[in-house]
Amino acid sequence: MSDCEATTDASTVREAALAARAAATRLSTTTGAERNAALMAVARHLAASSWRILAANRQDVDAARAAGRSTTVLDRLAVSGDQLAALARTVGSLADEPDPVGEVANGSVMPNGLEVRRIRVPLGVVGMIYEGRPNVTADAAALCLKSGNAALLRGSSTARHTNGVLVQVIREALADTGVPVDAVQLVPGVTHASVRELMSLRGLVDVLVPRGGHDLIQATVRDSAVPVIETGVGNCHVYVDQHADLDKALAILLNAKTQRPSVCNAAESLLVHEAVAPAFLPRALSALTAHGVTVHGDAGVRSFHPAVVPATDEDWACEYLSLDLAAAVVDSLDTAVDHIRVYGTGHTEAIVTDSQSAARRFVAALDTAVVAVNASTRFADGGEIGLGTELGISTQKLHARGPMGLTALTTTKYVLVGDGHIRGGAAAPLA
């Protein structure tokens, strides 16, 4: 890349951020009804423009396949007609969600009569840096519109045609509404210079959300001058307790691992209490093998099935995003918890047990964004827990944690309402 190209990328990114800041200012005065109307317009345009979007997606998928990209990348990249229709419905359904903007988070009246309210307001300009997955483009745009934020979207080059058409369709929809078109933009440029410039725009961009692999997330956290909401990779565990219903455990395990292995809330590790291992593992390993899963197991797991391959130290910490699973036999719930504390990523952990005390101990002992009791890790998703959709799953502890829906895209400000109040004195009468 030449110095000239770097300068061009940087200048256009800054121009886009300036336009986004102006759009955010206008958005802050729009009504919930105006933003809902914009969402419905976007949903209609996505449905009506499906042929354009699918054609662009085929172009991206064909290029990725020709470049030898992995099946995981191809799965995340591909968009089917059914998925696109579901995406349009999700965008439209956000219009029915409660408006977070202006909501009174809490309030009180001080002894001197001063009213104190803490209300929800938009973050402002939200930047997204993400890999593959064109659905993030529409999800992020819709969530930002509903919550009164402008969206600056920087997807990966593998999805550039799909993302380009998606944003074009969204902007066409906004042109006929009361919401500014520049509320949704793709970050200009195809080089790393544009990403670096986006990360430098503190004061224009209010927050960055990286969504992708470990390297992308850590590079953004390390290099960004803009505040970052850190999403996390998902080395998610399923622990089968000694008090588990083994039929439920098998169904949960298969769903968590095989329904869609390329996503961050898929199970990557299985821990089984030694008391139920002889009854559970032969069934589970046969079922996993039948689903095409390669199990990387310790000696205890390998003793129950010939197809299990030896696990290495790297396996315990691996987010496979494929039909692979690390598995171990443990002697207690405490040992399972200790294992997860060492190798887990703070994303989602699941326990299968009929013991309420075991469930309570598991939930209390693990410092993770989501804990599932007798449920699949795949429920760690905004759409599945009533958020409509999600921007990502935050594994940090500040502001937002877990699946990030509309509320996570707001901050708060205090509104003080007095009647001529002065500090250190009684209220002064109004003239």
Side-chain angles (χ1 to χ4, degrees):
M1 179 185 65
S2 68
D3 290 342
C4 180
E5 288 173 318
T7 301
T8 301
D9 272 2
S11 61
T12 53
V13 172
R14 186 175 184 84
E15 290 163 4
L18 285 166
R21 172 57 63 195
T25 300
R26 287 180 58 194
L27 271 171
S28 67
T29 61
T30 57
T31 65
E34 288 174 317
R35 296 193 299 276
N36 287 338
L39 285 170
M40 295 304 298
V42 170
R44 290 193 298 270
H45 275 67
L46 287 173
S49 304
S50 59
W51 63 273
R52 293 164 57 191
I53 300 165
L54 294 175
N57 187 248
R58 284 193 295 272
Q59 189 175 357
D60 286 330
V61 171
D62 289 345
R65 187 177 289 113
R69 299 282 188 170
S70 69
T71 55
T72 296
V73 170
L74 294 175
D75 178 67
R76 289 179 172 227
L77 179 60
V79 178
S80 68
D82 287 345
Q83 288 172 325
L84 186 56
L87 194 60
R89 289 194 298 271
T90 296
V91 172
S93 68
L94 278 178
D96 297 325
E97 295 292 320
D99 187 357
V101 180
E103 174 190 332
V104 179
N106 52 57
S108 61
V109 178
M110 303 303 293
N112 64 359
L114 184 69
E115 295 180 12
V116 180
R117 303 171 192 155
R118 188 165 67 93
I119 66 170
R120 296 201 177 280
V121 294
L123 291 170
V125 177
V126 177
M128 282 285 296
I129 303 173
Y130 53 105
E131 297 171 336
R133 302 188 68 173
N135 66 293
V136 174
T137 302
D139 286 342
L143 283 166
C144 285
L145 288 172
K146 175 73 176 185
S147 55
N149 295 288
L152 280 175
L153 307 172
R154 181 53 162 86
S156 64
S157 59
T158 54
R160 66 189 183 93
H161 295 101
T162 314
N163 289 339
V165 173
L166 278 169
V167 171
Q168 182 180 357
V169 168
I170 292 169
R171 288 168 63 87
E172 289 169 358
L174 295 181
D176 296 324
T177 74
V179 169
V181 169
D182 285 335
V184 178
Q185 298 179 75
L186 275 184
V187 173
V190 295
T191 68
H192 253 334
S194 64
V195 178
R196 289 194 297 271
E197 180 65 13
L198 179 63
M199 292 191 293
S200 75
L201 295 177
R202 188 181 185 95
L204 286 179
V205 180
D206 292 288
V207 66
L208 282 179
V209 183
R211 184 167 173 180
H214 176 270
D215 291 346
L216 168 68
I217 294 166
Q218 292 307 308
T220 306
V221 172
R222 182 184 63 246
D223 299 335
S224 179
V226 176
V228 175
I229 297 178
E230 184 174 354
T231 60
V233 296
N235 182 14
C236 305
H237 297 72
V238 173
Y239 166 58
V240 180
D241 186 52
Q242 62 178 323
H243 303 293
D245 179 315
L246 299 187
D247 291 333
K248 291 179 183 177
L250 182 58
I252 288 169
L253 172 63
L254 291 177
N255 179 262
K257 179 67 258 182
T258 67
Q259 190 207 29
R260 194 173 182 193
S262 66
V263 294
C264 63
N265 59 17
E268 304 290 22
S269 296
L270 167 67
L271 303 174
V272 181
H273 195 289
E274 63 183 12
V276 296
F280 180 70
L281 279 173
R283 293 175 58 198
L285 295 171
S286 294
L288 288 165
T289 300
H291 280 79
V293 177
T294 299
V295 179
H296 306 252
D298 66 359
V301 174
R302 294 199 304 274
S303 69
F304 290 105
H305 201 284
V308 179
V309 301
T312 66
D313 288 343
E314 288 74 22
D315 285 309
W316 306 124
C318 188
E319 184 188 32
Y320 294 110
L321 302 175
S322 62
L323 287 172
D324 291 88
L325 181 74
V329 175
V330 295
D331 60 10
S332 68
L333 183 149
D334 290 336
T335 302
V337 166
D338 288 343
H339 180 99
I340 294 169
R341 284 173 173 167
V342 172
Y343 297 107
T345 53
H347 192 293
T348 302
E349 311 297 354
I351 180 174
V352 186
T353 185
D354 285 340
S355 166
Q356 291 188 12
S357 63
R360 285 195 296 267
R361 284 171 56 204
F362 190 84
V363 170
L366 289 174
D367 187 15
T368 187
V370 180
V371 183
V373 178
N374 294 324
S376 171
T377 59
R378 291 282 288 118
F379 285 105
D381 177 270
E384 294 293 328
I385 62 172
L387 302 182
T389 186
E390 68 177 37
L391 198 68
I393 295 181
S394 170
T395 55
Q396 67 175 21
K397 300 181 184 181
L398 301 177
H399 170 59
R401 197 178 193 197
M404 292 185 290
L406 294 169
T407 301
L409 288 173
T410 64
T411 185
T412 60
K413 68 180 176 185
Y414 283 90
V415 178
L416 310 181
V417 180
D419 186 17
H421 280 67
I422 59 173
R423 184 167 175 172
L430 295 177

